[in-house]
Amino acid sequence: MKKFLFFTIIIISSMGSAQNSDKAKALLDEVYNKVKSYDNIVVDFKYVLNNQEADINQETRGEVTMKGDKYVANFFGAKQLFDGTKVYTIVPENEEVTIENKSEDPNAFSPSELLTFYKQGHTYAWDIEQNVQGRKIQYVKLTPIDTESEIESQLLGIDAETKHIQKLIMTGKNGTKTTITVNSFKTNQPISQTLFTFDEGKYESEGYYIIRN
């Protein structure tokens, strides 16, 4: 009788876990479809990187404008532009521009993937719900399927009403925690047709050193 009860508990627990996983995936599918429905997205965010053991604490704000795979990001005093083919990193402090092809590294992360990275390579679990300034934020926990990943887990906070991502908390196996909090999320904004075009002549005339990798 005890053995039967034990196996019954195991089965019920497994069913609950599967239902939670399905519910989490369904929510992420809603987020993905919402993101893909926009012509462009402009996100203002706060970035915090912390590792207590290594005594590292970095904090900054940034902004990224995305249209399809193309993006322009301002982050840590630098500007990065991806025109669909090449990545241009512009550092005004050093008066340098680095031009390189889009990385083929499957682990490489770009701002344009900030809102869609969760689509593959993870298992999902329904997590906590928080009330943030009157907004219901539902968290989904993502665990990499790749056991060799440097990431232990990620918590994705989703606004239950708008289905927009509000926060990402990434925990590394080395103890590093990276938190990205969305301050504003604007869609279908009037943007310049040349926003994602790199004007090499402009930077050369301003004395920038052009590095091609």
Side-chain angles (χ1 to χ4, degrees), residues 18-213:
Q19 288 173 349
N20 280 340
S21 176
D22 289 344
K23 187 162 64 168
K25 186 178 184 305
L27 177 58
L28 291 176
D29 285 342
E30 283 190 78
V31 174
Y32 182 82
N33 291 332
K34 196 76 177 284
V35 166
K36 287 299 183 181
S37 72
Y38 298 127
D39 179 65
N40 63 68
I41 298 172
V42 180
V43 177
D44 178 272
F45 61 90
K46 177 182 177 182
Y47 172 96
V48 177
L49 184 145
N50 181 269
N51 186 314
Q52 292 185 349
E53 188 175 328
D55 194 28
I56 296 174
N57 189 56
Q58 297 177 337
E59 183 175 322
T60 189
R61 289 186 65 168
E63 182 181 84
V64 57
T65 300
M66 296 167 277
K67 182 180 174 67
D69 290 335
K70 300 177 183 180
Y71 66 81
V72 174
N74 292 288
F75 189 51
F76 273 124
K79 177 179 179 179
Q80 190 172 82
L81 184 154
F82 177 56
D83 62 6
T85 304
K86 294 185 181 295
V87 178
Y88 305 86
T89 304
I90 304 153
V91 185
E93 184 178 355
N94 301 334
E95 294 189 332
E96 285 184 353
V97 177
T98 302
I99 305 174
E100 50 196 340
N101 293 323
K102 182 182 179 182
S103 175
E104 298 298 327
D105 181 357
N107 295 315
F109 184 80
S110 73
S112 59
E113 295 168 333
L114 175 63
L115 304 175
T116 59
F117 74 93
Y118 52 81
K119 191 62 178 172
Q120 57 187 3
H122 302 87
T123 59
Y124 311 116
W126 199 255
D127 211 271
I128 64 170
E129 177 189 307
Q130 288 184 339
N131 187 299
V132 179
Q133 297 179 340
R135 296 157 62 196
K136 177 183 171 184
I137 307 299
Q138 175 62 54
Y139 282 87
V140 172
K141 184 176 182 180
L142 297 89
T143 303
I145 294 173
D146 182 3
T147 55
E148 296 184 4
S149 172
E150 296 179 0
I151 299 171
E152 183 177 296
S153 65
Q154 300 178 83
L155 279 172
L156 198 61
I158 299 161
D159 187 310
E161 181 179 353
T162 64
K163 301 300 185 292
H164 292 164
I165 294 172
Q166 192 269 338
K167 181 172 285 191
L168 169 64
I169 304 171
M170 185 186 306
T171 303
K173 291 180 180 177
N174 64 353
T176 298
K177 180 176 284 188
T178 304
T179 303
I180 298 174
T181 305
V182 174
N183 297 317
S184 70
F185 189 106
K186 299 177 182 177
T187 62
N188 300 335
Q189 298 296 294
I191 59 176
S192 168
Q193 292 185 349
T194 60
L195 181 64
F196 306 105
T197 302
F198 177 70
D199 187 347
E200 185 170 338
K202 170 182 177 296
Y203 288 98
E204 285 181 334
S205 67
E206 292 177 1
Y208 276 67
Y209 182 59
I210 311 293
I211 303 169
R212 300 178 188 276
N213 289 341

